[in-house]
């Protein structure tokens, strides 16, 4: 029997001035969602079922940027994306441009299990969800007052947002730690060489190995705040934001364009497979050597029950647990 292990994340790139009560709220959400996975694994659940259940739980809580609470497009709407991958046979499913599906990760699972395809987007994904009887809601369900305020701030102040949950000038309704975009290059806040107006990196994800040694991973996000409509990030891209195979399972978070360029999730597995590296060594190498000037983080589990994480930015919301009783949630180093 293999040892089960689970890792979860709520995004990389945390403002160092995040108020203490917000930090504690994040930890409570992470601990609750982690416990969902631990309970399932203790009952003998399969890795694929566990990652879906945990990410559904994260999608349903508005604290992080997925499902309810997703970042908004320039038009004030939500376009979500998700992916899931089974290490057995490297089966996968992914969706983008989802605007009414309550839990995008479950739609990605159905694409994998119930369609001849691996990836559906926009109208096609929405129609498939309805054909499969998946729960759908009005787009307004996903929109929170905080995020409406963040979008307004982005448009009016032409600012860069480091963390969209940070109050500005004491306001709890909406706020951010922001700086003028005139300084965007100096602060390193660029994407594909261009300054970005507002950035919300709190993607969610889960990586699991079950007691049979099978791995799975899932990732879900609302993307960038104030993004162009139709923008697709790394989260639904197999090999970039999500990957699972016989060696490990990986979920990434952070600057999507950098993660896409580096095929970050797949590279962790490749370093293990081709260089014979251990899990943490592979994670460290990929975060340090493969992101170029991008900022990101990732969580990973190995088929033998190891857990690892890495990030090259300020903090990553994360949690992990193993069969031997170890469990923790954290934000900083």
């Amino acid at each position: 029997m293999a040892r089960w292990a689970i890792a979860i994340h709520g995004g990389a790139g945390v403002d160092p001035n995040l108020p203490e009560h917000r930090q504690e709220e994040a930890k409570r959400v992470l601990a609750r969602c982690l416990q969902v996975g631990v309970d399932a694994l203790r009952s003998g659940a399969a890795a694929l079922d566990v990652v879906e259940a945990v990410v559904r739980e994260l999608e349903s809580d508005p604290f992080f940027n997925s499902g309810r609470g997703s970042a908004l497009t320039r038009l004030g709407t939500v376009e979500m994306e998700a992916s899931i991958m089974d290490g057995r046979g490297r089966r996968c499913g992914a969706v983008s441009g989802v605007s009414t599906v309550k839990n995008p990760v479950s739609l990605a699972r159905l694409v994998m299990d119930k369609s001849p395809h691996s990836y559906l987007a926009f109208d096609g994904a929405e129609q498939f969800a309805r054909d499969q009887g998946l729960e759908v809601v009005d787009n307004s369900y996903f929109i929170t007052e905080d995020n409406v305020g963040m979008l307004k701030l982005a448009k009016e102040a032409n600012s860069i947002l480091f963390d969209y949950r940070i109050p500005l000038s004491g306001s709890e309704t909406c706020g951010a730690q922001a700086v003028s975009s005139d300084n965007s290059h100096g602060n390193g806040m660029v994407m594909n060489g261009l300054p970005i107006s507002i950035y919300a990196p709190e993607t969610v994800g889960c990586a699991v190995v079950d007691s049979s040694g099978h791995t799975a991973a899932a990732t879900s996000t609302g993307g960038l705040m104030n993004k162009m409509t139709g923008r697709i990030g790394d989260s639904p891209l197999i090999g970039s934001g999500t990957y699972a195979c016989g060696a490990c399972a990986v979920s990434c978070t952070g600057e999507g364009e950098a993660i896409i360029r580096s095929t970050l999730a797949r590279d962790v597995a490749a370093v293990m497979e081709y260089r014979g590296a251990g899990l943490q060594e592979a994670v460290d190498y990929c975060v340090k050597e493969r992101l170029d000037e991008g900022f990101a983080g990732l969580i990973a589990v190995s088929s033998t029950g190891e857990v690892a994480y890495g990030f090259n930015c300020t903090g990553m919301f994360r949690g992990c647990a193993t069969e031997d009783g170890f469990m923790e949630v954290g934000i900083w180093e």
Side-chain angles (χ1 to χ4, degrees), residues 248-273:
C248 64
V250 183
S251 175
C252 301
T253 173
E255 185 186 328
E257 277 67 10
I259 294 170
I260 291 169
R261 292 194 303 270
S262 65
T263 58
L264 189 61
R266 168 58 190 157
D267 262 22
V268 173
V271 171
M272 294 181 70
E273 293 169 354

Side-chain angles (χ1 to χ4, degrees), residues 84-119:
I84 191 168
M85 189 166 188
D86 185 352
R88 292 180 296 176
R90 288 180 287 192
R91 300 187 308 130
C92 58
V95 293
S96 288
V98 175
S99 60
T100 68
V101 178
K102 191 173 184 180
N103 291 107
V105 70
S106 291
L107 179 56
R109 172 79 183 268
L110 286 172
V111 170
M112 179 179 71
D113 288 343
K114 302 295 185 179
S115 86
H117 307 302
S118 295
Y119 196 161

Side-chain angles (χ1 to χ4, degrees), residues 134-193:
L134 210 56
E135 183 176 5
V136 295
V137 294
D138 188 80
N139 195 253
S140 61
Y141 163 82
F142 305 102
I143 299 173
T144 64
E145 185 179 359
D146 281 351
N147 285 354
V148 171
M150 292 303 92
L151 184 62
K152 183 173 183 290
L153 179 68
K155 291 178 178 295
E156 292 182 352
N158 192 29
S159 60
I160 295 171
L161 186 69
F162 290 106
D163 190 309
Y164 72 95
R165 294 179 310 279
I166 299 290
L168 181 67
S169 302
S171 170
E172 287 290 341
T173 302
C174 66
Q177 285 298 123
V179 297
S180 168
S181 64
D182 292 340
N183 295 323
S184 58
H185 285 285
N187 285 279
M189 299 298 288
V190 297
M191 192 164 285
N192 282 344

